[in-house]
Amino acid sequence: MGFSALAVAAELPLHYSSVNKNGERFLCQQRKYGHIRYCKKPVSCNIKSNITAAATSSNNTATTGSTSSSSCGGKVLEIKEIRERCKKWLWKGQFSINYFVSCNSDSQSNPGPPLLLVHGFGASIPHWRRNIDTLAKHYTVYAIDLLGFGASDKPEGFSYTMEAWAQLILDFLDEVIQKPTVLIGNSVGSLACVIAASDSSQTLVRGLVLLNCSGGMNNKAIVDDWRIKLLLPLLWLIDFLLKQRAIASSIFERVKQRDTLRNILLSVYGNKESVDEDLVEIIRGPACDEGALDAFVSIVTGPPGPNPVTLMPGISIPILVLWGDQDPFTPIDGPVGKYFSSLPSQLSNVRLCMLEGVGHCPHDDKPDLVHDNLLPWLAHLAAS
């Protein structure tokens, strides 16, 4: 999910407003400001009509309003069902990686590529519980727990890096899926997908869907944001404190309390109704596993990893960027948000959809808005 070190350790919710260049909220309809076109037109779930609609669209950027309702809704999978259906894959001959696969008869006969869902920091496969069934109506859907999260191994002494997660994704494509695949990631999961797709030797990434992509594994990557610059001394102090085992354990115990997690989640979700007890448990459960503390400390204090700004221009496959405009961690008016919002004017393979009233985790915050934009894009990709 991309919790910032400050918000997690100090429980300080970060709130940045997202406005257009005229100082207005993102509430305009069918008007253009800069590179962003704002519209509230819902999208049909008919795959054939979506192919036509996506193919004839001439604008690579749009904003979808919160009033849109989806006719594509599948059921919300229960956490217990997801866990019972998960499988295990041995990565590098030593690390057990938890994954999930879902498809139905329609998706098996559909020529579209398989999808791989990659969660963000602190999350796991059940974070996609509102999306899997809808997507699996038309595509074979895989989801994975990154090393250090969910039910995947949390090895003692492992140094977590963005590059390691990207390699895990590439190896999973090569050994398990074995077909060109669309990668769909949230937050640091998005960045891991970007790094994987930027590998010049890979041939198995068919497309990218980035949901509020992070600028790095932690906030040390976002040095161009004045808000982060002001907080850098505090972030360095938090890094120092987290390297003291007793202090780190105390902070982590506080972070994974249900009330603390609920408050953090409420600060990063636009739709507060999506912050239910299941979501709190999705985050809290794996945090109680052995090795979770070491993973937390390594990720928060480790190197931020490659910057997406340097990687995106080298990626030529189709890319869909979905961005919640109420994200406090990677705000649209911050350096990462500004960069991604400018991409459609620079790269013809990138389409951007701003999601109105949505926070850092669009797929779980307002899944219907995500599906309304994602399904026609996937249909066009499958037909191309």
Side-chain angles (χ1 to χ4, degrees):
M1 299 184 60
F3 295 131
S4 71
L6 179 63
V8 172
E11 290 185 65
L12 299 179
L14 307 179
H15 296 284
Y16 308 140
S17 62
S18 297
V19 298
N20 60 35
K21 67 179 184 181
N22 291 331
E24 299 169 313
R25 301 289 299 179
F26 289 152
L27 297 175
C28 303
Q29 185 172 1
Q30 298 297 346
R31 297 177 64 187
K32 292 185 179 182
Y33 297 97
H35 302 300
I36 301 179
R37 177 167 60 89
Y38 303 95
C39 60
K40 296 184 179 180
K41 183 178 180 181
V43 181
S44 165
C45 258
N46 182 280
I47 290 297
K48 291 183 179 179
S49 65
N50 282 341
I51 292 174
T52 303
T56 57
S57 174
S58 60
N59 194 317
N60 277 351
T61 313
T63 290
T64 305
S66 57
T67 58
S68 173
S69 61
S70 174
S71 58
C72 338
K75 69 176 182 179
V76 177
L77 297 184
E78 297 291 334
I79 297 175
K80 181 180 179 182
E81 178 186 355
I82 292 175
R83 290 174 175 167
E84 288 176 347
R85 291 171 56 187
C86 280
K87 302 180 179 182
K88 297 294 184 181
W89 164 63
L90 196 62
W91 182 44
K92 294 184 178 294
Q94 56 181 324
F95 302 122
S96 177
I97 301 299
N98 191 54
Y99 76 95
F100 180 94
V101 59
S102 180
C103 63
N104 58 31
S105 57
D106 289 339
S107 64
Q108 289 176 323
S109 61
N110 192 296
L115 315 177
L116 176 60
L117 311 179
V118 185
H119 63 80
F121 175 70
S124 56
I125 293 169
H127 202 208
W128 302 98
R129 69 199 188 283
R130 304 182 197 273
N131 317 105
I132 291 172
D133 191 62
T134 295
L135 297 175
K137 292 180 185 299
H138 309 291
Y139 304 93
T140 299
V141 178
Y142 293 83
I144 194 170
D145 282 343
L146 294 173
L147 190 72
F149 294 116
S152 288
D153 277 353
K154 303 169 182 65
E156 182 179 358
F158 189 87
S159 296
Y160 292 88
T161 64
M162 292 304 313
E163 294 91 337
W165 286 331
Q167 189 58 55
L168 186 157
I169 291 170
L170 290 174
D171 290 344
F172 187 80
L173 297 181
D174 183 54
E175 297 180 22
V176 179
I177 302 181
Q178 299 181 341
K179 293 180 181 178
T181 301
V182 175
L183 304 181
I184 304 176
N186 174 225
S187 189
V188 294
S190 280
L191 181 55
C193 292
V194 169
I195 298 169
S198 69
D199 186 330
S200 60
S201 65
Q202 70 81 23
T203 59
L204 291 177
V205 181
R206 177 71 178 85
L208 277 179
V209 180
L210 309 177
L211 300 161
N212 288 62
C213 185
S214 69
M217 190 168 71
N218 48 53
N219 275 338
K220 291 191 286 293
I222 316 174
V223 295
D224 292 332
D225 192 332
W226 63 269
R227 290 162 288 215
I228 299 300
K229 287 181 179 179
L230 288 176
L231 297 174
L232 271 178
L234 182 55
L235 295 177
W236 289 333
L237 175 61
I238 291 172
D239 272 15
F240 172 77
L241 294 175
L242 287 176
K243 291 177 180 177
Q244 319 305 311
R245 184 74 181 186
I247 296 175
S249 180
S250 177
I251 292 174
F252 193 56
E253 287 300 316
R254 181 185 181 190
V255 166
K256 67 183 185 182
Q257 292 177 3
R258 284 187 170 84
D259 287 344
T260 304
L261 288 174
R262 187 178 298 104
N263 289 336
I264 294 172
L265 291 164
L266 286 169
S267 76
V268 301
Y269 271 61
N271 179 19
K272 309 306 178 185
E273 293 180 0
S274 290
V275 181
D276 54 19
E277 289 306 309
D278 281 348
L279 177 60
V280 173
E281 182 57 29
I282 287 169
I283 307 299
R284 183 181 181 277
C288 297
D289 292 346
E290 184 177 355
L293 171 60
D294 289 342
F296 171 78
V297 172
S298 176
I299 293 164
V300 173
T301 63
N307 191 318
V309 174
T310 63
L311 299 177
M312 290 295 290
I315 301 175
S316 59
I317 58 175
I319 300 172
L320 175 64
V321 178
L322 301 176
W323 209 278
D325 72 345
Q326 298 299 310
D327 183 356
F329 288 160
T330 49
I332 193 60
D333 60 344
V336 178
K338 285 181 178 178
Y339 172 74
F340 276 97
S341 65
S342 73
L343 279 181
S345 66
Q346 303 174 37
L347 302 173
S348 61
N349 61 313
V350 177
R351 176 172 173 78
L352 168 70
C353 295
M354 292 298 303
L355 304 179
E356 201 174 279
V358 179
H360 188 61
C361 308
H363 60 291
D364 191 52
D365 193 327
K366 292 188 178 178
D368 285 352
L369 287 182
V370 170
H371 300 155
D372 283 346
N373 290 280
L374 174 58
L375 287 172
W377 183 87
L378 288 171
H380 182 231
L381 180 69
S384 62

